[in-house]
Amino acid sequence: MSNLTTFELVDHVATITMNDGKGNAFGPDMIASVNSELDRAEAEAKAAVITGRPGLFSGGFDLKVIRGGDQKAAIAMRLAGSRLMMRLYGHPQPLVMAATGHAVALGAFCLLTGDYRIGTEGDFRIGLNETAIGMSLPPFGLMLARERLTRSFLTRAAIAATMFSPTEAKAAGFLDEVVSADELPQRAQEQARALVELDGSAYATVKQGLRGESIARIVEGFDTGPKSA
């Protein structure tokens, strides 16, 4: 799993880089690797940045698993990915997302879990394409869309599967800022270090107060909801 992500700690900020050399798909191994890196961030850092490889943040769930004919494997991956998104959304430390390029489906939801989201200028697409490929949004996705996306863009983004340029994605609520590819790493570090200056205990408490009820409701559904792919 270690070849899927890397971990770097500088000035109390942990940078977790996803790079599988392909689509940065959230398959079982990538999900496990990101979880492992988050464990380390909580133990060693005061803030975290999650980023991807040049040109690509993440293309979403691993479609080879979803369409591979093993229903149990597909269900398990979806559940693990859903749990990871809720862990990210409730991560007690400041969490910055640095989108290095395309962010599609679960990759776009991953952006929505961040406390601050920075995108890269360029010919990239960011959005939720589920309805375009015959899939509905899961409960955690509907919750993130409602809580994080700009209301006037919600129908286009969540129902109509509109894909946005980085600048449009900022207006839609997927991103807070768009910078050049060269500026992205430094800008992500600057924003994370600025958040580290806040009281960490108060930060975690306020985040839990704002998001905890929604997260708990979604997590409860993981155990009581339908068991289908």
Side-chain angles (χ1 to χ4, degrees):
M1 291 186 297
S2 61
N3 64 323
L4 299 179
T5 60
T6 59
F7 182 100
E8 182 180 18
L9 183 62
V10 178
D11 295 335
H12 304 294
V13 176
T15 298
I16 300 167
T17 302
M18 302 182 292
N19 187 357
D20 65 1
K22 297 175 287 186
N24 273 0
F26 282 102
D29 288 345
M30 179 67 83
I31 292 167
S33 190
V34 172
N35 270 312
S36 179
E37 305 290 29
L38 287 172
D39 290 341
R40 187 175 173 187
E42 289 192 39
E44 301 178 19
K46 295 182 180 180
V49 173
I50 295 182
T51 190
R53 65 178 179 82
L56 179 68
F57 183 69
S58 172
F61 272 126
D62 190 339
L63 293 179
K64 294 193 301 294
V65 177
I66 291 177
R67 297 168 178 169
D70 187 338
Q71 188 179 43
K72 289 184 177 179
I75 292 172
M77 182 186 69
R78 282 176 165 168
L79 179 58
S82 301
R83 289 189 182 279
L84 174 59
M85 293 303 111
M86 291 299 90
R87 180 181 184 181
L88 290 168
Y89 197 41
H91 187 70
Q93 301 168 328
L95 182 62
V96 175
M97 295 292 171
T100 46
H102 301 292
V104 180
L106 195 66
F109 281 125
C110 190
L111 294 182
L112 294 181
T113 69
D115 303 336
Y116 197 82
R117 296 80 44 85
I118 308 173
T120 306
E121 295 172 346
D123 188 19
F124 301 121
R125 292 292 175 260
I126 295 171
L128 310 173
N129 69 337
E130 278 81 356
T131 59
I133 59 174
M135 300 173 66
S136 61
L137 297 186
F140 84 84
L142 293 171
M143 181 271 285
L144 287 174
R146 289 193 190 100
E147 293 197 357
R148 302 308 307 276
L149 290 176
T150 305
R151 185 171 181 83
S152 61
F153 281 81
L154 191 55
T155 294
R156 291 175 61 198
I159 301 176
T162 302
M163 302 303 291
F164 300 98
S165 69
T167 300
E168 293 168 335
K170 178 183 175 184
F174 287 102
L175 299 172
D176 296 295
E177 183 178 349
V178 179
V179 300
S180 70
D182 290 341
E183 295 175 297
L184 181 65
Q186 179 179 348
R187 186 68 191 101
Q189 287 291 314
E190 289 173 350
Q191 184 61 37
R193 287 196 298 268
L195 293 174
V196 164
E197 295 302 313
L198 300 173
D199 183 276
S201 177
Y203 192 98
T205 298
V206 173
K207 184 188 283 193
Q208 173 65 22
L210 286 173
R211 302 178 182 177
E213 184 176 345
S214 296
I215 293 170
R217 186 169 60 251
I218 296 299
V219 171
E220 182 180 5
F222 294 156
D223 298 321
T224 61
K227 308 299 182 183
S228 60

